């Protein structure tokens, strides 16, 4: 009988990978949560002035998913740090400048290109890198939620 090791999560070699320390991991997740929150805000701000009904429908679904993602990160961070760090402050002013610029996109096309052609693909790449570099056993809970997020981000990018 061939029984997969480590509950089928990974090989022993993969489990020996150092991965991220708690502080580094929480730092990345604070950044991800902030980005997800700001993407939700973009959808809210863009909803009313966007004339295309189909785009409004997508913004509605996608901002809800972004809100869910931000909440998952907040919960995970709170599991890893007690008391949890402040999550209502920006981790990087450069991110805020980017979002401020994106917020003023003058056309629907500019909004779609900025969100689905630039931001979401960069975030998806960061998620993929995070899972690839983290320890699959020690940080299974984070990899699990990021896995769901990656699948949803891929669908959102495909729509965009």
């Amino acid at each position: 009988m061939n029984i997969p090791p480590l509950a089928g999560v990974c090989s022993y070699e993969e489990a020996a990978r150092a991965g991220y320390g708690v502080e580094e991991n929480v730092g990345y997740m604070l950044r991800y949560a902030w980005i997800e929150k700001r993407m939700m805000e973009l959808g809210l701000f863009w909803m009313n002035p966007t004339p295309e009904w189909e785009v409004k429908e997508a913004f509605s679904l996608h901002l809800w998913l972004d809100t869910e993602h931000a909440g998952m990160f907040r919960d995970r961070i709170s599991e890893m740090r007690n008391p949890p760090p402040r999550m209502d402050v920006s981790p990087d002013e450069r991110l805020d400048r980017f979002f401020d610029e994106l917020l003023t996109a003058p056309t629907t096309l500019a909004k779609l290109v900025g969100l689905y052609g630039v931001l979401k693909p960069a975030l998806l790449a960061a998620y993929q890198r995070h899972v690839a570099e983290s320890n699959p056993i020690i940080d299974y809970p984070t990899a699990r939620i990021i896995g769901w997020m990656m699948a949803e981000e891929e669908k959102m990018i495909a729509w965009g």
Side-chain angles (χ1 to χ4, degrees):
M1 179 171 12
N2 187 10
I3 300 172
L6 303 171
V9 171
C10 63
S11 67
Y12 285 105
E13 181 180 282
E14 292 166 320
R17 183 173 58 233
Y20 299 122
V22 173
E23 288 305 319
E24 186 178 18
N25 204 359
V26 167
Y28 283 128
M29 287 190 286
L30 285 168
R31 188 175 187 87
Y32 302 151
W34 186 258
I35 292 168
E36 292 282 3
K37 175 187 173 284
R38 292 295 310 262
M39 287 191 302
M40 177 269 303
E41 291 172 348
L42 286 175
L44 289 173
F45 286 122
W46 289 344
M47 186 74 66
N48 196 34
T50 300
E52 298 85 0
W53 182 253
E54 295 80 7
V55 176
K56 288 178 185 272
E57 291 171 334
F59 284 165
S60 179
L61 172 62
H62 299 168
L63 73 87
W64 177 76
L65 291 170
D66 293 336
T67 304
E68 290 284 302
H69 296 173
M72 287 182 212
F73 280 126
R74 292 174 74 87
D75 290 346
R76 180 69 181 129
I77 291 165
S78 295
E79 291 171 357
M80 295 177 77
R81 282 285 167 249
N82 190 3
R86 287 190 62 188
M87 293 185 239
D88 61 340
V89 294
S90 174
D92 188 336
E93 67 181 38
R94 294 171 298 176
L95 280 175
D96 291 330
R97 284 197 305 270
F98 175 79
F99 276 102
D100 291 345
E101 189 67 28
L102 192 52
L103 186 61
T104 63
T107 65
T108 301
L109 180 59
K111 293 170 187 174
L112 296 176
V113 169
L115 185 59
Y116 299 98
V118 177
L119 181 56
K120 284 190 175 285
L123 183 61
L124 177 60
Y127 287 167
Q128 291 166 335
R129 194 170 40 256
H130 192 107
V131 170
E133 293 176 3
S134 66
N135 183 289
I137 294 292
I138 293 170
D139 203 27
Y140 182 81
T142 303
R144 180 176 173 244
I145 64 169
I146 291 177
W148 293 334
M149 293 175 199
M150 288 189 304
E152 291 174 343
E153 291 296 340
E154 287 170 352
K155 290 177 184 177
M156 288 186 260
I157 292 166
W159 176 89

